[in-house]
Amino acid sequence: MKKYLLAISVLAFAFSCSNDSQNSNADQNESGDTYQPENKTTDHPELNDEAENKRGIGKFTHVDLPATLDVPLATAGKTVFELKCYSCHKLTDERLVGPGWKGVTTRRAPEWIMNFATNTDEMLNKDAAAQAMLETCLIRMPNQNLNDDDARKVLEFMRQNDGVK
């Protein structure tokens, strides 16, 4: 009988210790209340990594930009802008329907811009920065179906707009 009591006591002790280890992430504030830290992980691995999150969500993980402007590419980007972007975006910092483009290449990584231009719907659904922008603008940017080349042209035009020579 003593063996059973001893075994039950050991199991109860082990069980109580395992519950404490599961709550080890809980903190206690000054009033004695406990809270669990916010779980910042998501089911989308790119959003769990801050560096990846700056790239946005999409196939562009690295975009090489020359130090100087590619003028023909920027000129072609202006044509794409006038056709697909002009009705909602100004080249100043003033918001029209969408945010103004002035300074966008200093606020966002080139990969983020390329991913947003080519993967608009998924970015608006999952990328925290895109969702914050959506809350400000209140209107969901329609997918303009830009291909990779058009997105790169627009990025170069944005760089020109931001003063890259």
Side-chain angles (χ1 to χ4, degrees):
M1 181 73 174
K2 287 184 180 179
K3 290 181 181 178
Y4 291 118
L5 287 174
L6 180 61
I8 290 172
S9 297
V10 169
L11 287 174
F13 179 76
F15 180 75
S16 66
C17 289
S18 68
N19 281 344
D20 285 342
S21 68
Q22 289 175 352
N23 293 328
S24 65
N25 290 336
D27 289 329
Q28 204 170 43
N29 64 18
E30 293 176 2
S31 65
D33 297 332
T34 59
Y35 68 94
Q36 291 287 333
E38 182 180 337
N39 184 2
K40 294 185 177 184
T41 61
T42 68
D43 58 350
H44 200 291
E46 291 169 322
L47 296 178
N48 295 330
D49 183 313
E50 188 174 329
E52 287 293 326
N53 198 18
K54 290 179 182 176
R55 293 181 195 140
I57 299 167
K59 62 183 169 187
F60 294 99
T61 58
H62 182 77
V63 177
D64 279 324
L65 295 178
T68 58
L69 188 73
D70 183 331
V71 175
L73 199 60
T75 302
K78 182 178 181 183
T79 302
V80 175
F81 167 78
E82 291 171 345
L83 182 66
K84 297 197 170 197
C85 313
Y86 177 75
S87 61
C88 295
H89 297 279
K90 289 187 170 189
L91 296 176
T92 65
D93 58 359
E94 184 180 351
R95 184 173 63 125
L96 188 57
V97 176
W101 281 11
K102 185 173 178 68
V104 69
T105 58
T106 59
R107 292 189 310 269
R108 304 281 181 221
E111 296 84 4
W112 192 93
I113 293 169
M114 296 284 291
N115 283 324
F116 190 74
T118 58
N119 193 26
T120 307
D121 293 328
E122 189 172 5
M123 287 282 288
L124 288 172
N125 289 337
K126 297 177 181 176
D127 182 80
Q131 290 175 340
M133 198 168 50
L134 180 61
E135 287 179 15
T136 302
C137 296
L138 304 175
I139 295 178
R140 189 176 177 90
M141 180 175 147
N143 186 344
Q144 297 297 316
N145 295 313
L146 294 183
N147 62 34
D148 297 353
D149 291 337
D150 285 344
R152 180 62 185 91
K153 292 170 186 172
V154 169
L155 173 60
E156 199 66 8
F157 177 63
M158 289 175 164
R159 293 179 68 215
Q160 182 181 43
N161 188 53
D162 287 340
V164 175
K165 305 262 182 215

